[in-house]
Amino acid sequence: MTTTSTDPATDGQGAAALLDRTRTTVDPRLRAAVQSLPGSMRRVAMYHFGWEHADGTPAAGQAGKAIRPALVLAGARALGGEPRLAVRAAAAVELVHNFTLLHDDIIDDDRTRRHRPTAWTVFGMPDALLAGDAMAALALRLLADDPHPASAAAASRVSSCVIELCAGQQADVAFERRPPREVALDEVVAMATAKTGALLGCSCALGALYAGAGEEEVAAMDAFGREAGLAFQLIDDLIGIWGDPERTGKPAGADLVAHKKSLPVVMALGSGTRAGAELAELYERPLAGAELARAVRAVEEAGGRDWAQAQAADRMARAVQQLSRAVPDLAAAGDLLSLAEYVTRRTR
């Protein structure tokens, strides 16, 4: 993807600096919100965000990449708003994102995140679930208490987004119970749009709302985020198979070990190739060692890797088209374009 911006944040280093600035701006509000939780849930959340060790002593970890709050602030700026007025909204979407992570780790039986044991393996499943629930409610309370005139519309949009996220997660779980050849690619695209694209779209839309944008601009920003979110998921699925464990904090081929029906996997399964048929057979049994390596090779030989990379580029092109509807002069949207490019070039 190319951009027309001359903003210094249009390369990878600029995006990293933008995310660092977002954390500096949003983390104090986010941390204050988390610290308002009751004791046991606060402890789980503080550990999950990387701010505390399991014993409650301070830790120097980061609370994630901050892509979603960065989209809120960048969206407000692109439409002529004041980003500092959208900090509560930025913290709210990060709380929603981490609510989903706490639940996803349990549903997917993931035992590591950000190079540490997942919260549920440390504190137990009930406490991790309840902490996630509390964080979702906390996000809505942040918006409800926000005096900004856009806060009510923002809260409504976040509520709808959470419902869509849950529907996407439910579909993802349902796919795991179906035989490998009985999950269609368009079903998985719809699931990924709900599970990943919805929150990125919501983040961009909140930025537009806090800038005082009209309905058409808000809708275009939401569409931009959704397309970028699908590109993000495609790259995430590639990382789930070919990512470096030293960078991802997860075992190599983790998605294949879990028999995930990810986008490149489902494309490979439906490719009609010999490699696709081999992958379907491998997905009928546990994968480890040589058989895991065979599965990785089968996805690639069936075209899953190349297809996902091409689709990610196509979705980003669509995202830029949507963005131009809200911000005709893309030079004003340098931060948004930088973030969009970042999510398609990341390696973890």
Side-chain angles (χ1 to χ4, degrees), residues 32-348:
V34 169
Q35 288 176 333
S36 74
L37 292 172
S40 59
M41 289 183 286
R42 180 177 65 245
R43 185 178 175 191
V44 175
M46 293 291 285
Y47 171 85
H48 169 77
F49 276 112
W51 295 326
E52 288 184 358
H53 296 295
D55 62 3
T57 56
Q62 289 184 341
K65 301 180 187 70
I67 291 169
R68 292 153 191 83
L71 287 170
V72 175
L73 302 186
R77 184 181 300 110
L79 286 159
E82 176 50 64
R84 65 182 178 82
L85 299 179
V87 170
R88 283 177 182 258
V93 297
E94 190 67 353
L95 283 167
V96 169
H97 174 52
N98 282 276
F99 138 71
T100 68
L101 295 183
L102 278 166
H103 284 208
D104 283 359
D105 285 343
I106 293 168
I107 292 169
D108 296 340
D109 196 33
D110 283 339
R111 296 178 176 271
T112 59
R113 179 172 292 282
R114 298 168 186 158
H115 304 278
R116 297 202 305 171
T118 47
W120 74 270
T121 66
V122 175
F123 299 99
M125 193 180 297
D127 281 359
L129 278 171
L130 292 169
D133 294 342
M135 285 161 56
L138 188 57
L140 293 174
R141 190 174 78 184
L142 271 180
L143 295 171
D145 292 344
D146 191 349
H148 194 282
S151 62
S156 176
R157 188 169 283 269
V158 168
S159 297
S160 296
C161 178
V162 169
I163 294 170
E164 189 173 358
L165 289 170
C166 291
Q169 180 63 70
Q170 184 182 44
D172 193 18
V173 172
F175 293 159
E176 301 313 303
R177 296 193 292 264
R178 287 161 58 180
R181 292 185 176 91
E182 293 184 11
V183 177
L185 187 56
D186 59 349
E187 290 183 289
V188 184
V189 170
M191 176 274 293
T193 300
K195 187 177 173 183
T196 303
L199 187 53
L200 270 70
C202 181
S203 300
C204 296
L206 260 58
L209 285 170
Y210 273 72
E215 290 184 10
E216 290 187 8
E217 288 83 3
V218 173
M221 291 289 282
D222 184 87
F224 162 74
R226 283 173 178 270
E227 293 288 0
L230 191 50
F232 182 100
Q233 187 60 55
L234 284 155
I235 297 301
D236 199 61
D237 287 350
L238 290 169
I239 292 170
I241 300 173
W242 290 281
D244 179 358
E246 292 295 319
R247 297 183 63 82
T248 66
K250 293 185 177 183
D255 282 2
L256 296 182
V257 172
H259 290 177
K260 295 289 289 182
K261 309 286 197 317
S262 64
L263 286 158
V265 166
V266 173
M267 185 277 164
L269 288 168
S271 65
T273 63
R274 182 178 298 177
E278 180 185 14
L279 179 63
E281 293 177 4
L282 289 166
Y283 252 46
E284 298 290 349
R285 52 185 185 266
L287 291 174
E291 291 214 324
L292 174 58
R294 283 177 60 200
V296 171
R297 187 169 60 252
V299 177
E300 183 155 15
E301 290 177 356
R305 187 174 193 171
D306 288 345
W307 174 86
Q309 290 170 335
Q311 278 290 305
D314 178 65
R315 292 291 175 168
M316 282 314 311
R318 297 188 197 188
V320 174
Q321 289 177 345
Q322 294 292 343
L323 179 60
S324 66
R325 291 172 50 214
V327 190
D329 180 7
L330 289 179
D335 286 349
L336 285 172
L337 291 167
S338 173
L339 290 167
E341 186 161 351
Y342 170 82
V343 302
T344 60
R345 296 195 176 187
R346 65 196 180 92
T347 57
R348 61 187 174 90

